Amino acid sequence: MEKKIVYDFDMPVSRLGTHAEKYEARERFFGKADVEPFWVADMDLPTPEFLVEKLRARTGHPMFGYTEQYDEVFDAVQWWMKNEHQAEIESAWISLSPSVVTTISMAIQCCTEEGEAVAVLSPVYGPFFTCTKINKRKIADVPLCVENAKFEIDFQALEKTLSRPEVKLMLMCNPQNPGGRAWSFQCLEKVVALCVKYRVILLSDEIHSDIVYAPAKHRSVLNLPAADEIAVVAHSIGKTFNTSGLQSSFVVIKNPKLRSAFRRAQDRAHCGDINLFGKAALASALSPAGAEYKRQLLVYLHENTRQVCARLNQVENLTVMEPEATFLVWSDFRAFGDWQTVFRKLINEANVALSGGNFFGPAGEGWFRINCAHPRSVLLPAVERIVDIFSGA
Ligand SMILES: Cc1ncc(COP(=O)(O)O)c(C=O)c1O
């Protein structure tokens, strides 16, 4: 019997010298090169050795020429979606894409015209806004409500927005970044019904869907037959396997007309393929070995987010959203003054670099997002420093 690998997530691994953005861009974004970084949403936890070995083995051959889109990649995606997300998909429905943000941009280009509008539920991952704006489309922002320290959708406001004739596309973050919400089946059903009613294409960004903590469960839009005609589902191994720098993402579109339109947009931008390391990584990660790594990773990340939330919630006037999904903790610092004051305190006094809420749209102002995908020996002392600075403040 094969020996089970036990992953050690406690061991800090230095990323200095690897051009990691989270580290190298500290001076530029925070004005302090040695502030401890808990911002960019990648993990300071290592990619599993079996995947690294796959890449190492490929570098053993000295030619890195044009590489076909081979079956193992598509088989792996199908296997993963069936086993991890109970979604039966055909190989033909899958397209490769360098990144989820590329997919968002392509969806905007193929589903909307200049001057039309894209619906978003904010606060949400910044490129939902920037991709829309750079493509000269309008943002139709539907702010989320906060109820019992969780985001909820205002369905009345959403219906009003989707009923506007210029709204042709909705970008949904499922699970939600920054709030860590794993949207329920009922909630997705309602969103899909509204999109169908008003003929709006629904892009479901499911990049965080493998990081969901029981009893919460990820519900893919692919599990909703009502969404078959309107859904573009974007996923990636970037978050779960810490491979965002490899640019290995995929898209699932069941509707053949929509899929052709999406692929034409990809062809125009020449971005319907990924590099050979991305393909090797997809084929390797989306496997039983990858599922076991994910299972162990989730135990570690869940404990991290639980401990961070429990500690920060002890600070008077500081409230955090305990995530059902993602390794991110969305924290409300509005009681401690304007966001610039809090930002400076976090950097200069607590020595932590967090993602500022403005990145997630106007509704995020005064909030900060903490990345908990770090070894506990690094994460928990940083949280203690935040607690010290803001207790009694
Ligand atoms: C919701 C969401 N979508 C997309 C991305 C980026 O994905 P990619 O690197 O594949 O473009 C992120 C990264 O943080 C994210 O949180």
Side-chain angles (χ1 to χ4, degrees):
M1 220 171 80
E2 225 175 283
K3 208 167 150 249
K4 192 175 142 193
I5 296 163
V6 178
Y7 292 100
D8 178 6
F9 299 114
D10 274 327
M11 175 74 86
V13 178
S14 172
R15 298 179 67 179
L16 295 178
T18 65
H19 300 288
E21 188 182 11
K22 191 193 258 174
Y23 286 81
E24 301 310 330
R26 285 178 290 180
E27 176 74 52
R28 188 154 47 96
F29 279 90
F30 301 96
K32 194 171 175 217
D34 62 352
V35 66
E36 271 202 285
F38 301 92
W39 57 309
V40 175
D42 62 18
M43 302 196 290
D44 273 20
L45 307 175
T47 298
E49 178 57 25
F50 73 85
L51 203 163
V52 177
E53 181 49 38
K54 183 87 176 183
L55 301 176
R56 214 179 271 131
R58 182 60 188 83
T59 60
H61 190 285
M63 293 176 200
F64 304 101
Y66 295 114
T67 306
E68 63 170 347
Q69 299 199 351
Y70 48 95
D71 287 346
E72 285 93 322
V73 177
F74 295 85
D75 294 347
V77 171
Q78 279 181 292
W79 184 88
W80 189 265
M81 295 311 285
K82 181 168 179 213
N83 283 276
E84 295 296 308
H85 299 298
Q86 295 74 53
E88 299 259 7
I89 58 170
E90 289 178 20
S91 184
W93 304 351
I94 305 165
S95 308
L96 301 182
S97 173
S99 73
V100 169
V101 174
T102 313
T103 297
I104 291 171
S105 204
M106 292 304 106
I108 291 170
Q109 289 177 23
C110 85
C111 302
T112 65
E113 302 287 338
E114 271 191 36
E116 289 182 335
V118 176
V120 300
L121 302 168
S122 77
V124 75
Y125 179 59
F128 280 33
F129 296 94
T130 47
C131 273
T132 301
K133 286 184 192 154
I134 207 163
N135 280 298
K136 300 197 173 74
R137 273 61 164 175
K138 288 185 258 177
I139 302 278
D141 189 2
V142 183
L144 291 161
C145 313
V146 182
E147 284 172 27
N148 301 320
K150 274 192 193 331
F151 279 133
E152 299 291 349
I153 297 171
D154 177 346
F155 280 101
Q156 257 190 348
L158 181 61
E159 173 149 21
K160 205 165 155 210
T161 296
L162 295 183
S163 70
R164 284 165 39 197
E166 78 268 27
V167 176
K168 293 285 168 38
L169 174 68
M170 172 170 174
L171 302 177
M172 175 137 192
C173 196
N174 173 37
Q176 211 267 351
N177 170 16
R181 198 76 220 272
W183 299 115
S184 69
F185 209 65
Q186 290 74 10
C187 183
L188 288 176
E189 267 182 331
K190 281 199 213 171
V191 171
V192 167
L194 288 175
C195 286
V196 169
K197 181 171 173 187
Y198 295 107
R199 298 169 194 269
V200 172
I201 299 296
L202 177 64
L203 184 140
S204 182
D205 174 346
E206 303 194 359
I207 194 167
H208 293 281
S209 62
D210 285 304
I211 303 176
V212 178
Y213 310 119
K217 195 169 166 19
H218 171 62
R219 306 293 184 174
S220 174
V221 166
L222 293 168
N223 299 129
L224 284 167
D228 283 356
E229 293 301 304
I230 56 155
V232 175
V233 174
H235 196 5
S236 162
I237 58 171
K239 300 290 163 202
T240 318
F241 295 92
N242 208 7
T243 55
S244 292
L246 287 175
Q247 301 228 298
S248 37
S249 167
F250 59 90
V251 191
V252 183
I253 306 174
K254 187 169 177 189
N255 176 340
K257 261 173 105 171
L258 182 55
R259 191 165 65 238
S260 299
F262 180 83
R263 286 185 179 160
R264 273 198 305 277
Q266 282 194 313
D267 287 345
R268 276 195 294 273
H270 199 69
C271 66
D273 201 3
I274 62 179
N275 78 50
L276 65 93
F277 292 110
K279 285 173 192 151
L282 274 176
S284 171
L286 303 179
S287 63
E292 175 54 26
Y293 169 83
K294 166 179 148 175
R295 199 189 60 70
Q296 294 186 37
L297 176 72
L298 287 184
V299 173
Y300 194 81
L301 293 178
H302 195 192
E303 186 55 26
N304 279 12
T305 57
R306 254 199 309 241
Q307 289 197 27
V308 168
C309 290
R311 194 68 187 105
L312 291 181
N313 271 330
Q314 288 170 351
V315 178
E316 207 180 345
N317 296 324
L318 179 60
T319 41
V320 303
M321 288 190 179
E322 181 144 4
E324 300 164 317
T326 80
F327 44 70
L328 309 164
V329 170
W330 185 235
S331 312
D332 183 0
F333 282 84
R334 286 174 298 175
F336 299 95
D338 60 80
W339 74 266
Q340 291 95 336
T341 306
V342 174
F343 185 70
R344 278 192 298 272
K345 271 189 157 187
L346 286 165
I347 297 165
N348 297 325
E349 297 179 42
N351 196 36
V352 293
L354 308 185
S355 299
N358 295 336
F359 175 70
F360 304 89
E365 184 163 319
W367 295 69
F368 287 83
R369 193 194 68 181
I370 306 170
N371 178 347
C372 297
H374 291 251
R376 261 170 231 150
S377 59
V378 176
L379 177 67
L380 299 181
V383 168
E384 284 309 314
R385 294 198 299 275
I386 297 173
V387 170
D388 279 353
I389 300 302
F390 290 92
S391 289

